[in-house]
Amino acid sequence: MASLFSSHCLTQLSAITSINGFQFRALDLKQDLPTLQSWFNQEYAQFWGMQGLNLAAIENLMAATEHKFALIGELQGKALFMVEFYDPAHDEIGHHYRVAPGDCGMHLIIAPPDGSPISGLSFKVMDTIAQLVLEKLAFNRLVVEPDQLNSKIHRLNSRVGIRYEKAIQLSTKAAFLGFCTAAERHLASNTPSSTGLVQTSSALPSSLAAPVTSPMTLSTL
């Protein structure tokens, strides 16, 4: 699947119209770049490290390749989030663990609030993406590498079923390496704590419970 990562996924996605009320479409660079630029410049998006970039720079970073591509998730016809999927075998993360067939890396950014807040929206988005990766696209594992300083995403990852294996140092950040299988996602969804916030440390082995300081550079939500 590695050499055909993007084409395989996009072919599978062509048959998917909606998951949990969210519609997915391929990122359209001409149409979506101004929206992405505004999202990346939000204070909460600091972990992407793309604040202040012009449209050409964002286009260069977000352009699809055979090893990565991005989708826009919409709710009621309005762009709500962008998710990027990538093949860990062709990414820096692949130097930090033994990549297995069926691994799928993921980066996510959600639009800033607009109007009345939707209760539990971030969790619904994350769980829908995990469902897309692990069930609809039938990958074996979802792979994440969030910045160690991003405490909000650690809690969210734990609720979805993502468990961190170890701390790693990437070229742009100190991160945690995490994984989630379909079985782990289902277990988390049937655990009482999944209905409310859990402690950050629940996603971490005890040795990783105290995140270390890292520069706030290119990262994932």
Side-chain angles (χ1 to χ4, degrees):
M1 185 182 296
S3 63
L4 300 174
F5 181 86
S6 294
S7 60
H8 165 82
C9 292
L10 291 171
T11 297
Q12 295 291 103
L13 284 164
S14 65
I16 299 173
T17 57
S18 178
I19 301 176
N20 299 333
F22 299 112
Q23 292 78 46
F24 290 89
R25 61 173 175 81
L27 175 69
D28 184 323
L29 290 175
K30 293 186 181 299
Q31 173 184 334
D32 298 319
L33 279 182
T35 298
L36 283 185
Q37 185 184 49
S38 70
W39 294 358
F40 288 141
N41 278 302
Q42 300 293 319
E43 183 178 356
Y44 69 81
Q46 61 185 307
F47 293 106
W48 271 84
M50 295 173 71
Q51 293 173 323
L53 295 185
N54 60 32
L55 293 178
I58 295 174
E59 180 175 8
N60 182 60
L61 290 168
M62 296 306 306
T65 72
E66 64 178 323
H67 305 304
K68 70 179 182 73
F69 68 97
L71 302 174
I72 291 291
E74 298 180 335
L75 182 64
Q76 299 177 348
K78 185 174 183 178
L80 181 65
F81 59 90
M82 185 275 291
V83 58
E84 182 181 54
F85 297 129
Y86 67 91
D87 183 350
H90 294 269
D91 185 87
E92 181 184 6
I93 193 67
H95 299 297
H96 292 272
Y97 82 103
R98 182 172 295 179
V99 179
D103 283 356
C104 178
M106 183 272 288
H107 299 143
L108 169 68
I109 185 168
I110 299 177
D114 182 16
S116 300
I118 301 175
S119 177
L121 179 62
S122 295
F123 172 73
K124 292 174 184 176
V125 169
M126 180 68 88
D127 189 56
T128 294
I129 291 169
Q131 182 180 348
L132 171 62
V133 170
L134 298 170
E135 297 182 10
K136 303 298 184 179
L137 297 180
F139 281 98
N140 296 329
R141 289 192 300 185
L142 177 64
V143 182
V144 298
E145 19 76 20
D147 193 299
Q148 291 181 14
L149 295 178
N150 195 347
S151 58
K152 290 183 179 180
I153 198 62
H154 302 326
R155 292 193 295 270
L156 188 60
N157 284 344
S158 177
R159 292 181 63 193
V160 172
I162 295 169
R163 293 296 177 263
Y164 296 164
E165 180 177 285
K166 60 182 179 179
I168 59 175
Q169 182 63 55
L170 299 176
S171 61
T172 56
K173 63 183 177 181
F176 289 126
L177 174 64
F179 302 94
C180 183
T181 65
E184 288 166 337
R185 173 180 171 266
H186 285 299
L187 178 62
S189 67
N190 292 318
T191 300
S193 62
S194 69
T195 62
L197 286 179
V198 296
Q199 295 298 315
T200 302
S201 59
S202 67
L204 305 174
S206 58
S207 61
L208 305 182
V212 298
T213 301
S214 67
M216 295 184 185
T217 50
L218 184 63
S219 182
T220 175
L221 261 179

